[in-house]
């Protein structure tokens, strides 16, 4: 069966790092909506121009646009074996749309991994990442907004997936290898 995974967790929890390693090891596509949107901004595409300011403020791109992007992306050839979604869904509306897209093809999510990290650690991690990567939304003000957007709009997904019996919680504090081992163990 296709492995369809979702990574959930606040900004700075290490989703991107862990998702990339896991997707490579499982031989499934790693789909980071943040990376896709940043590439669109850098490339100056129509979508990029539309979303640039939203990204810079740390707010969410409208659901309709995100759902269209994901619908197109998960239909591509590299998703035949499965995929790992990193950064989508971020709202209940997106999660419901994903359920419908998959149900229409008789598919369903295999597991949802929630990476847990406390708020102080998050801010410290993101500020460090900002120094290293130069990401325009990795400043303290925008980070605090992104965490509050997560708490308000994305954290309701935890109980959404818990109710579906799909949620797997993983402690996100430790070395990259330690956390990856916990994820793999939890999925077994
Ligand atoms: P990320 O790299 O996942 O932290 O995403 C960076 C930014 O892209 C977010 O702060 C949002 O502005 C935007 N973004 C990424 N994924 C989504 C999504 N599923 N829904 C809405 N906005 C998103």
């Amino acid at each position: 069966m296709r492995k369809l995974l979702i990574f959930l967790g606040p900004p700075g929890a290490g989703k991107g790092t862990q998702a990339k390693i896991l997707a490579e090891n499982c031989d499934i596509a790693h789909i980071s909506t943040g990376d896709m949107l940043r590439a669109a901004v850098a490339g100056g595409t129509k979508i990029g121009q539309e979303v640039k300011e939203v990204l810079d403020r740390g707010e969410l791109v409208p659901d309709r646009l995100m759902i269209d992007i994901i619908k197109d992306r998960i239909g591509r050839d590299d998703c035949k074996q499965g995929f790992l979604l990193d950064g989508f869904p971020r709202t209940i509306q997106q999660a419901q749309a994903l359920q419908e897209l998959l149900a229409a093809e008789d598919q369903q999510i295999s597991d949802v991994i929630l990476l847990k990290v406390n708020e102080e650690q998050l801010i410290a991690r993101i500020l460090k990442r900002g120094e290293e990567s130069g990401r325009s939304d990795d400043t303290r003000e925008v980070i605090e907004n992104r965490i509050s957007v997560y708490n308000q709009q994305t954290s309701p997904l935890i109980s959404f997936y818990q109710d579906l019996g799909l949620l797997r919680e993983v402690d996100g504090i430790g070395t990259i290898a330690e956390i990856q081992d916990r994820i793999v163990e939890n999925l077994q």
Side-chain angles (χ1 to χ4, degrees), residues 4-184:
L4 309 186
L5 303 176
I6 293 176
F7 261 50
L8 206 60
K15 292 191 299 294
T17 306
Q18 296 298 334
K20 189 164 178 278
I21 301 170
L22 185 67
E24 240 167 59
N25 289 341
C26 298
D27 205 16
I28 56 178
H30 171 212
I31 301 179
S32 159
T33 45
D35 283 351
M36 291 170 77
L37 294 169
R38 281 185 290 278
V41 172
T45 65
K46 188 167 163 280
I47 290 181
Q49 289 169 11
E50 266 173 54
V51 303
K52 184 181 183 312
E53 280 182 18
V54 178
L55 259 68
D56 283 345
R57 287 199 301 270
E59 273 151 28
L60 294 185
V61 170
D63 287 333
R64 197 60 257 160
L65 179 59
M66 290 314 303
I67 293 162
D68 285 347
I69 290 175
I70 277 295
K71 185 176 176 193
D72 171 73
R73 182 65 189 86
I74 65 179
R76 300 219 195 128
D77 278 353
D78 66 340
C79 294
K80 286 220 167 81
Q81 307 263 35
F83 54 74
L84 194 172
L85 297 179
D86 162 13
F88 184 99
R90 257 178 158 97
T91 64
I92 292 282
Q93 285 79 0
Q94 292 180 14
Q96 280 166 344
L98 179 63
Q99 291 293 103
E100 284 163 23
L101 280 176
L102 295 176
E105 295 189 16
D106 232 356
Q107 304 271 318
Q108 55 187 12
I109 298 295
S110 325
D111 298 279
V112 178
I113 298 143
L114 171 65
L115 272 185
K116 298 182 77 171
V117 177
N118 69 43
E119 204 156 302
E120 279 156 43
Q121 284 261 352
L122 288 179
I123 296 181
R125 278 191 191 184
I126 309 182
L127 285 173
K128 185 159 171 275
R129 180 174 73 189
E131 281 166 20
E132 287 160 7
S133 72
R135 254 178 73 165
S136 59
D137 59 351
D138 278 348
T139 59
R140 181 175 286 273
E141 207 189 1
V142 180
I143 295 164
E144 285 174 354
N145 192 30
R146 282 160 59 206
I147 293 176
S148 115
V149 167
Y150 172 82
N151 288 334
Q152 285 171 28
Q153 303 195 57
T154 307
S155 68
L157 294 180
I158 297 173
S159 47
F160 179 90
Y161 287 117
Q162 207 156 31
D163 292 348
L164 292 173
L166 296 174
L167 196 77
R168 294 170 181 271
E169 296 187 31
V170 174
D171 174 6
I173 307 276
T175 66
I176 292 176
E178 278 163 359
I179 300 165
Q180 185 67 208
D181 285 349
R182 279 180 214 143
I183 294 171
V184 171

